[in-house]
Amino acid sequence: MVADSKSAFIDQTVVPGDVVLDLSSMSNHTIKLGQGLRQDGDVISVMKAGKLRFSKPNKYWVESSNKRYVPCVEDTVLGIVVDQKADNFLVDIKGPTLAFLPVLAFEGGSRRNKPKFEVKLNRVFAFLKMGVSSSFTNKQGLECHRTENMVKSAGISSEKVLLLLFSECRFFPFSELNIIYFPSQVGKLLYVRVVKANADMNPELSCTDVNGKAAEFGPLKDGYMFESSTGLSRMLLSSPTCPVLEALGKKLSFEIAIGLNGRVWVNAEAPSTVILVSNAIMTSESLTGVQQRIMVEKLMQRVQ
Amino acid sequence: MEVDRVDGRTPNQLRPLTCSRNVLNRAHGSARWSQGDTILLAAVYGPKAGTRKNGNPEKASIEVIWKPKTGQIGKEEKEYEMILERTLQSICLLTVNPNTTTSIILQVVNDDGAVSFLENYVMFKMAYLTKKVQLLPSAINAASAALVDAGIPLKHLAVAISCGLEESGSVLLDPTKLEEQKMKAFAYLVFPNSVASILPEASLQVEGELLEHGMITSVTHGVMSVDSYLHCLERGRSASAKMSDFLRRSLQSRVPNDLPKTG
């Protein structure tokens, strides 16, 4: 019975075209197919090269390492904002198409309360908020709108906008000036979750967990991001903790964000730590657990 | 049937094959395929958003760019591009990533360099058959390996082989450029790879024939009788089994061997 319901190819390398499951002999089973497998009539055949994996009770997938990423619901990925539209950020997640990140897909995001990124950044949208009575606020709102349009059309630098805003402030001597930047998000690195992934449309991302909380999602400040393969990301995220991370974590303190799309972000107090950690991770892909530990030890010796 | 081949091979013997994957850093998938002294480098970029001009947005489109060793591409190369495109289209699952384009770039690194300059010159003088054509099977093999490396969804792999027909009517497999000049005709045959299956062999058969005995592409040059074509087919088919074993082995070697299971 076990032999019937489980494929003989589990944990073996399969190549496209291989037939791994016969559905006609397992009529009462429900099986779930992951990436790299497809149903072809009465059989399940392989469409990518890799190792066939099986997870109880009924999941099958082909594990492979690629430079491109195929979006999949509930994956956590690292994306780079490439454009900003009224309702969406367009985010590159190394997939076939750009992904949409709705502007409101942040914790507490609603039409009223558009989320802000409070970051010390440079360009284009400056917003003036005055701690004065509501009648003034309205006027300021208009003012800001005007300034924004001016900036857009004239392409004035952010410093000029600030000067402009300060000059306007002269007319409200008793107001408290409170400037919040709306920096351009283009180029920003985000840790996001894939919420929709269909072949026919752009994938959709979210910066909240399923409960609508920010969790650890959102923009990643500072640090260093490098691109590797999807296989390496999966290795780093595997449980129990991957040997290279375990070995590094014992000696050093650093922050790391790993996207299933093959992007890894590392941050630490000292730049030297960032470099060491990222180099160790990049070289670890082809190494076994023991080799990884040895490699980390050697690196640490060289540093000390 | 003793045929003396210049390099001492038997009529059915292929030139030594090598295949390495992931040789290019920036390409999403790449492979270097060498068959004797013929060396090709294939790079796959994509899938990228959007189809080609006039492409069907409900399917993925495949684009092949041929880069000759030197000079510009001419009519011949355009023809290879077209044959490759059609062949690869038929092995790719085009509906998995609709409205995307995958580009395959083939760079000829060496075109059977065993031929010396003098011989080359003589051959050029003879030039009664299209040259360079035996690149095509290698190109198909290289592209097929590169597509796998890039993780493009495929129905199966393609293995390509060239068969040459001598004046005497005997068939030589995988002729070199030099041998090719002396051939009466030749055929390039592309077969699906032999698949591993849990099913008994009988159930894999389509209308009484094994799937791997089907054919994807056949290109012939020169005059060839039906009998000798069928002879070529038979010989090509048996050699393709060896090649698909080789391809499978070379694909296995690159997969990281101790990736722990994801939790």
Side-chain angles (χ1 to χ4, degrees):
Chain A
M1 187 60 215
V2 178
D4 275 8
S5 58
K6 264 178 79 174
S7 174
F9 291 110
I10 284 166
D11 292 338
Q12 288 189 10
T13 311
V14 286
V15 302
D18 288 358
V19 175
V20 293
L21 282 173
D22 180 14
L23 296 180
S24 56
S25 72
M26 40 193 295
S27 49
N28 280 331
H29 290 271
T30 310
I31 55 163
K32 288 185 175 173
L33 299 184
Q35 77 150 352
L37 295 173
R38 69 184 179 116
Q39 185 182 352
D40 184 11
D42 249 0
V43 294
I44 300 296
S45 57
V46 176
M47 54 185 193
K48 282 176 187 176
K51 281 225 166 113
L52 182 71
R53 298 291 192 192
F54 169 73
S55 151
K56 279 174 189 167
N58 56 7
K59 289 179 189 158
Y60 290 92
W61 72 96
V62 175
E63 199 167 81
S64 56
S65 184
N66 295 126
K67 288 182 188 169
R68 292 290 272 195
Y69 166 69
V70 181
C72 187
V73 175
E74 287 304 313
D75 277 359
T76 54
V77 296
L78 290 180
I80 296 170
V81 180
V82 290
D83 200 4
Q84 198 170 8
K85 293 275 184 298
D87 294 337
N88 289 303
F89 295 112
L90 293 182
V91 184
D92 167 39
I93 53 168
K94 287 172 85 174
T97 52
L98 292 177
F100 286 139
L101 172 64
V103 181
L104 304 178
F106 292 84
E107 185 179 340
S110 65
R111 281 271 156 228
R112 278 277 191 81
N113 174 29
K114 289 202 177 178
K116 308 168 185 91
F117 301 96
E118 281 138 58
V119 236
K120 39 167 194 206
L121 241 158
N122 33 31
R123 294 186 16 207
V124 176
F125 299 110
F127 189 78
L128 180 67
K129 195 175 148 198
M130 314 283 283
V132 286
S133 66
S134 56
S135 59
F136 277 100
T137 327
N138 269 340
K139 195 171 178 215
Q140 279 316 300
L142 273 176
E143 209 64 68
C144 290
H145 189 69
R146 212 192 70 200
T147 346
E148 199 182 296
N149 280 342
M150 250 166 65
V151 174
K152 266 188 190 163
S153 55
I156 330 173
S157 72
S158 53
E159 293 86 52
K160 278 196 181 153
V161 179
L162 272 184
L163 271 177
L164 215 104
L165 290 173
F166 275 117
S167 64
E168 306 250 333
C169 282
R170 283 176 309 168
F171 307 113
F172 310 101
F174 303 112
S175 64
E176 178 194 333
L177 183 66
N178 186 357
I179 296 173
I180 300 166
Y181 287 91
F182 270 138
S184 162
Q185 301 300 310
V186 174
K188 180 152 294 176
L189 184 67
L190 300 168
Y191 184 58
V192 284
R193 192 169 61 94
V194 180
V195 288
K196 275 184 207 160
N198 296 322
D200 303 286
M201 48 195 269
N202 295 46
E204 196 177 304
L205 308 171
S206 169
C207 261
T208 61
D209 63 5
V210 266
N211 302 319
K213 292 276 175 275
E216 59 276 0
F217 297 107
L220 298 171
K221 285 167 229 166
D222 306 326
Y224 171 65
M225 191 273 293
F226 59 90
E227 305 209 344
S228 61
S229 66
T230 54
L232 178 68
S233 293
R234 228 171 294 118
M235 184 188 84
L236 294 172
L237 287 168
S238 64
S239 62
T241 319
C242 148
V244 67
L245 289 183
E246 205 179 4
L248 286 167
K250 274 181 189 158
K251 304 270 172 66
L252 302 165
S253 71
F254 57 90
E255 272 185 284
I256 189 164
I258 301 154
L260 278 170
N261 57 345
R263 284 195 175 122
V264 181
W265 171 86
V266 181
N267 193 15
E269 287 275 296
S272 59
T273 317
V274 176
I275 295 167
L276 191 136
V277 171
S278 15
N279 280 343
I281 290 171
M282 278 189 263
T283 44
S284 67
E285 181 166 19
S286 53
L287 304 178
T288 64
V290 183
Q291 286 173 321
Q292 288 176 10
R293 285 203 187 88
I294 297 169
M295 183 259 305
V296 171
E297 243 161 63
K298 274 188 184 163
L299 273 176
M300 297 305 296
Q301 274 168 7
R302 225 184 293 166
V303 171
Q304 278 151 14
Chain B
M1 194 173 62
E2 199 58 45
V3 185
D4 277 327
R5 297 182 71 165
V6 185
D7 43 7
R9 286 186 288 159
T10 62
N12 279 339
Q13 203 176 353
L14 305 178
R15 285 173 291 171
L17 305 169
T18 59
C19 171
S20 40
R21 289 199 297 149
N22 201 17
V23 285
L24 301 175
N25 186 31
R26 300 193 62 168
H28 300 129
S30 53
R32 183 182 180 279
W33 181 275
S34 74
Q35 206 161 334
D37 290 309
T38 304
I39 304 168
L40 274 120
L41 200 58
V44 174
Y45 291 86
K48 300 172 284 190
T51 47
R52 299 165 71 187
K53 205 175 164 191
N54 303 326
N56 179 1
E58 285 179 10
K59 285 191 169 177
S61 63
I62 301 232
E63 173 185 53
V64 178
I65 298 164
W66 184 283
K67 301 270 184 194
K69 192 177 171 191
T70 52
Q72 289 180 327
I73 71 164
K75 274 184 196 155
E76 273 166 52
E77 282 86 0
K78 280 278 175 209
E79 191 190 339
Y80 303 156
E81 281 184 358
M82 211 180 71
I83 295 169
L84 269 161
E85 200 177 301
R86 297 270 177 87
T87 306
L88 298 176
Q89 258 168 4
S90 74
I91 65 162
C92 287
L93 282 160
L94 300 172
T95 45
V96 176
N97 293 317
N99 202 15
T100 57
T101 305
T102 303
S103 308
I104 296 127
I105 293 146
L106 280 151
Q107 170 71 56
V108 181
V109 179
N110 200 5
D111 177 11
D112 198 2
V115 188
S116 73
F117 173 75
L118 188 72
E119 280 164 330
N120 232 331
Y121 180 72
V122 175
M123 270 174 9
F124 181 72
K125 287 279 183 186
M126 286 155 52
Y128 62 91
L129 280 177
T130 359
K131 290 199 296 170
K132 285 188 285 191
V133 247
Q134 91 278 23
L135 280 175
L136 197 58
S138 305
I140 291 170
N141 293 328
S144 163
L147 282 172
V148 172
D149 189 42
I152 307 292
L154 303 173
K155 278 182 220 153
H156 41 71
L157 300 173
V159 279
I161 190 134
S162 63
C163 311
L165 186 68
E166 285 198 309
E167 295 287 356
S168 62
S170 55
V171 174
L172 294 186
L173 285 183
D174 196 16
T176 60
K177 196 170 179 176
L178 187 60
E179 283 172 327
E180 209 163 62
Q181 302 302 320
K182 298 172 190 153
M183 296 287 169
K184 186 168 78 165
F186 36 89
Y188 307 111
L189 307 167
V190 187
F191 300 98
N193 68 324
S194 44
V195 298
S197 172
I198 52 151
L199 299 177
E201 203 139 274
S203 57
L204 273 181
Q205 293 181 353
V206 184
E207 287 165 19
E209 283 230 67
L210 282 171
L211 176 71
E212 62 199 80
H213 286 183
M215 201 179 2
I216 301 174
T217 306
S218 161
V219 181
T220 54
H221 286 261
V223 187
M224 186 187 282
S225 69
V226 175
D227 281 346
S228 23
Y229 179 68
L230 292 176
H231 189 196
C232 280
L233 268 187
E234 198 186 303
R235 303 279 286 278
R237 201 172 272 166
S238 52
S240 80
K242 272 181 248 161
M243 289 189 67
S244 67
D245 282 346
F246 169 78
L247 202 56
R248 178 182 290 270
R249 259 182 287 125
S250 67
L251 293 180
Q252 275 168 350
S253 61
R254 229 273 295 176
V255 179
N257 38 14
D258 79 327
L259 271 180
K261 269 190 185 183
T262 342

